[in-house]
Amino acid sequence: MKYARTHIKRFWAFQNRRALGISFLSFAIIFGIGIVFTVILNQFFMYNPMNIFFAWIFLLALASIIVVVSLTKAHIHIASAMNKSERVEHSKYVGRFLIVMIAGIIVFMLPVVFAPLASSLVMLFSIGGILMVLYLAISLIFKHRYHEIAIASLLIWASFLLALFVIGPQYYYNPPLFDAASFLVASIVVLVIFSVTGMAMLVHSSNEFINEFMQIYKIK
């Protein structure tokens, strides 16, 4: 962000780390609710694919709304602190960022479309890829690095490779076992990594705010 003043850069970094932390944590909570809902229906023999499908659509829509609202509020707060020239330049960079993210999401969701029978496991690869695109887009476009996102991406990819090695052969020998195991692995990986990443980003942003407050008011 060469076009912005120093304090605007720091405010941008804080607001976005906080918004991303809320987004990760909210997604993990809603994803966990979806898993519990699915397991309960299966446990009480009330499994209905359509009900499960619509429940997940609703939960994912709710997660998307929370993410969009969180990031939009952060953007509004940042833009309000900028002067006119900074806002004009910033909007160009945001446009480039959105183009890269949309392209990245489309590219990394294609494997799920072409491998529907292994969608639970392949989803780990896709999510890891989207997170890596997010990390690289922020790093290259805005020149700021949120290392928590990169670590989350690498952990998800590592989990995908490990699961592919351990349970991948069951895809041919025992498809029902593969489906159950891949769904379980993917659910645990996404839930744990997104929760930890969200909490780490929120704690980091809180520490930044506290340090900034202590510097301004000379608190030792």
Side-chain angles (χ1 to χ4, degrees):
M1 292 183 66
K2 296 180 181 179
Y3 53 86
R5 291 162 289 172
T6 302
H7 68 284
I8 296 296
K9 295 178 185 177
R10 295 170 72 174
F11 185 60
W12 178 92
F14 163 77
Q15 282 285 1
N16 281 295
R17 176 173 271 117
R18 178 176 172 273
L20 288 168
I22 292 172
S23 299
F24 274 96
L25 195 56
S26 299
F27 185 87
I29 292 171
I30 292 174
F31 188 81
I33 292 172
I35 293 172
V36 171
F37 179 78
T38 303
V39 170
I40 288 175
L41 288 184
N42 286 334
Q43 187 71 27
F44 290 96
F45 304 101
M46 294 185 295
Y47 180 77
N48 186 318
M50 291 305 297
N51 289 342
I52 297 291
F53 175 76
F54 286 119
W56 276 100
I57 290 295
F58 171 77
L59 290 172
L60 291 175
L62 180 61
S64 299
I65 291 171
I66 293 174
V67 170
V68 170
V69 170
S70 178
L71 294 176
T72 300
K73 285 182 65 177
H75 176 73
I76 291 172
H77 288 313
I78 293 165
S80 64
M82 290 179 169
N83 57 38
K84 185 177 179 179
S85 62
E86 287 172 335
R87 280 196 296 271
V88 171
E89 198 67 22
H90 186 62
S91 63
K92 298 177 183 177
Y93 282 78
V94 171
R96 295 169 192 169
F97 171 77
L98 292 176
I99 292 172
V100 171
M101 284 306 305
I102 292 172
I105 290 171
I106 292 173
V107 169
F108 278 100
M109 288 305 294
L110 287 177
V112 178
V113 176
F114 290 115
L117 298 179
S119 57
S120 294
L121 194 58
V122 176
M123 185 62 74
L124 285 180
F125 171 79
S126 299
I127 292 174
I130 291 170
L131 292 182
M132 184 55 69
V133 171
L134 175 62
Y135 171 75
L136 292 176
I138 294 174
S139 301
L140 297 175
I141 295 174
F142 297 106
K143 307 301 179 183
H144 188 80
R145 293 177 177 84
Y146 294 116
H147 297 297
E148 300 94 336
I149 299 175
I151 293 171
S153 173
L154 294 175
L155 288 175
I156 291 175
W157 270 345
S159 301
F160 166 75
L161 292 174
L162 181 61
L164 189 65
F165 176 76
V166 174
I167 66 176
Q170 300 303 321
Y171 179 82
Y172 301 100
Y173 302 118
N174 193 340
L177 176 61
F178 172 81
D179 289 341
S182 59
F183 176 77
L184 179 64
V185 169
S187 299
I188 292 174
V189 169
V190 170
L191 191 59
V192 171
I193 292 180
F194 270 60
S195 298
V196 172
T197 302
M199 286 300 299
M201 297 191 81
L202 287 175
V203 169
H204 194 165
S205 64
S206 298
N207 289 338
E208 285 180 341
F209 175 80
I210 292 171
N211 291 335
E212 191 78 17
F213 186 86
M214 293 177 69
Q215 282 182 352
I216 293 174
Y217 291 98
K218 297 181 175 58
I219 299 174
K220 297 181 179 180

